[in-house]
């Protein structure tokens, strides 16, 4: 079974969420989410407060993802918001004109970072987020709530810009919000699970697309990106995925998008992996590798 999407246009009131051509219920059916016990957002957050975490990612065929859900049904709960078991996400990432965040990741630097605004489409919630790596290589996520109208923007002189500046400065990263501009958008549908007693969390992302200046890269609709979020010790989900023949892959949605959609970048392992599971659409506008718009004052 595969999933397809129908793009929706941006409205005057802000970005409109993508609409699944196959109903949201088919995504839940594809993964067998109905077999899982529900949990509220407060329960998921309380069980898995993973601001400081180790993430492992897997590109998994949809049937294997459904098998994983079946195996986890006895121990994991799925986030359920008024009967809705998935949420549409939109994330706009910010980078420097020379793609410093992308290059730091590709070069494996210790001080890696990402800056993004994330919109939870159905709920109208939006956050400014900065992700960094600590000295042990674990991901640390810093978040600040902003208005949904500010999605996709990082305007100079705003509270959001001050938040970004503070996090980057405190982590020894010599980049400021004024150096950054939108560099790509990622859209997907996500289901979130947690082991309420064990404190580990799992997300499953489908209908995944990357967008940059008139070009699109899309994850093979027969695959799901599974991410486990926990401690350095592999969790039950990691062990089950290993048994299903899946191995962790070093992959980032933003890094994939830039690698596939910006011409002139050096070939790399991410692009080679991504090309086996992602497909790119035709260009509708020219995409010079280094031309990214600058922020404007609020």
């Amino acid at each position: 079974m595969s999933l397809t999407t129908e793009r929706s246009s941006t409205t005057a009131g802000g970005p409109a969420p993508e609409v699944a051509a196959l109903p949201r219920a088919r995504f839940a059916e594809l993964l067998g989410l109905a077999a899982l016990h529900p949990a509220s957002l407060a329960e998921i957050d309380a069980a898995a407060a993973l601001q400081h975490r180790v993430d492992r990612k897997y590109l998994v065929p949809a049937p294997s993802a459904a098998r994983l859900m079946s195996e986890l049904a006895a121990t994991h709960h799925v986030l359920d918001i008024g009967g809705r078991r998935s949420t549409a996400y939109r994330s706009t990432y910010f980078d420097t004109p020379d793609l410093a965040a992308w290059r730091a990741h590709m070069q494996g630097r210790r001080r890696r970072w990402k800056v993004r605004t994330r919109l939870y489409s159905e709920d109208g919630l939006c956050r400014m987020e900065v992700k960094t790596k600590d000295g042990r290589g674990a991901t640390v996520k810093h978040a600040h709530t902003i208005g949904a109208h500010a999605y996709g923007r990082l305007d100079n002189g705003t509270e959001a810009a001050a938040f970004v500046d503070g996090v980057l400065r405190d982590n020894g990263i010599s980049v400021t919000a004024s150096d950054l501009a939108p560099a790509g958008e990622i859209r997907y549908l996500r289901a979130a699970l947690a082991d309420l007693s064990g404190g580990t969390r799992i997300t499953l992302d489908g209908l995944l697309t990357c967008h940059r200046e008139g070009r699109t890269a899309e994850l093979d609709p027969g695959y799901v990106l599974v991410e486990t979020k926990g401690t350095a010790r592999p969790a039950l989900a990691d062990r089950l995925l290993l048994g299903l023949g899946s191995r962790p892959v070093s992959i980032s949605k933003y890094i994939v998008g830039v690698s596939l959609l910006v011409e002139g970048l050096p070939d790399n392992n991410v692009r080679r992996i991504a090309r086996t599971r992602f497909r790119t659409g035709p260009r509708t506008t020219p995409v010079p590798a280094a031309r990214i718009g600058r922020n404007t004052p609020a």
Side-chain angles (χ1 to χ4, degrees):
M1 185 186 301
S2 64
L3 297 168
T4 58
T5 58
E6 176 183 312
R7 311 283 192 272
S8 62
S9 60
T10 300
T11 66
E18 284 199 343
V19 177
L22 293 177
R24 180 185 305 276
R26 291 293 295 277
F27 181 72
E29 179 186 356
L30 177 70
L31 298 177
L33 299 180
L36 295 161
H37 294 294
S40 68
L41 181 59
E43 289 175 313
I44 296 287
D45 285 345
L50 296 174
Q51 299 303 97
H52 182 103
R53 68 197 188 191
V54 174
D55 301 341
R56 297 178 179 88
K57 299 177 183 179
Y58 307 81
L59 283 172
V60 181
S64 294
R67 173 87 175 271
L68 174 67
M69 295 299 94
S70 177
E71 296 286 346
L72 293 176
T75 55
H76 286 64
H77 291 60
V78 63
L79 175 62
D80 186 301
I81 302 176
R84 191 185 81 228
R85 295 197 166 192
S86 61
T87 298
Y89 281 57
R90 297 185 72 166
S91 297
T92 291
Y93 287 79
F94 301 86
D95 212 332
T96 64
D98 63 348
L99 301 174
W102 180 88
R103 295 180 191 280
H105 182 99
M106 295 305 306
Q107 294 167 5
R109 295 180 193 168
R110 185 170 62 87
R111 297 190 186 279
R112 298 199 296 274
W113 54 276
K114 294 192 187 81
V115 176
R116 70 189 179 199
T117 49
R118 168 165 285 181
L119 178 68
Y120 303 82
S121 298
E122 295 90 349
D123 305 305
L125 301 177
C126 190
R127 303 199 309 181
M128 179 67 69
E129 297 181 346
V130 182
K131 296 176 73 175
T132 60
K133 291 283 187 180
D134 68 9
R136 295 171 296 172
T139 300
V140 183
K141 183 167 69 175
H142 316 262
H144 177 73
T145 301
I146 60 177
H149 68 280
Y151 170 73
R153 299 176 61 179
L154 182 53
D155 294 328
N156 296 331
T158 62
E159 187 174 312
F163 165 74
V164 170
D165 285 343
V167 174
L168 294 177
R169 181 182 60 249
D170 290 347
N171 284 272
I173 298 165
S174 58
V175 174
T176 66
S178 62
D179 298 322
L180 305 174
E185 185 185 47
I186 311 297
R187 308 174 190 175
Y188 53 96
L189 195 63
R190 166 169 287 184
L193 288 72
D195 179 345
L196 300 186
S197 60
T200 57
R201 188 180 175 209
I202 305 161
T203 58
L204 300 98
D205 299 337
L207 304 176
L208 173 60
T209 56
C210 312
H211 306 264
R212 178 183 161 90
E213 296 187 2
R215 296 194 69 193
T216 298
E218 179 181 25
L219 177 64
D220 183 324
Y223 278 75
V224 176
L225 178 61
V226 178
E227 185 170 353
T228 64
K229 308 167 189 286
T231 65
R233 182 178 181 180
L236 173 61
D238 296 293
R239 299 193 297 271
L240 291 172
L241 285 162
L242 182 64
L244 292 169
S246 295
R247 302 291 186 274
V249 293
S250 178
I251 194 168
S252 156
K253 300 180 187 74
Y254 170 64
I255 301 304
V256 166
V258 169
S259 296
L260 293 177
L261 299 178
V262 178
E263 290 186 342
L265 295 176
D267 203 15
N268 55 72
N269 289 335
V270 169
R271 183 183 293 154
R272 287 191 286 271
I273 293 172
R275 280 174 175 166
T276 66
R277 297 290 176 247
F278 283 76
R279 58 195 182 198
T280 57
R283 179 186 297 118
T284 56
T285 59
V287 190
R291 190 191 59 127
I292 306 176
R294 304 285 290 182
N295 288 319
T296 55

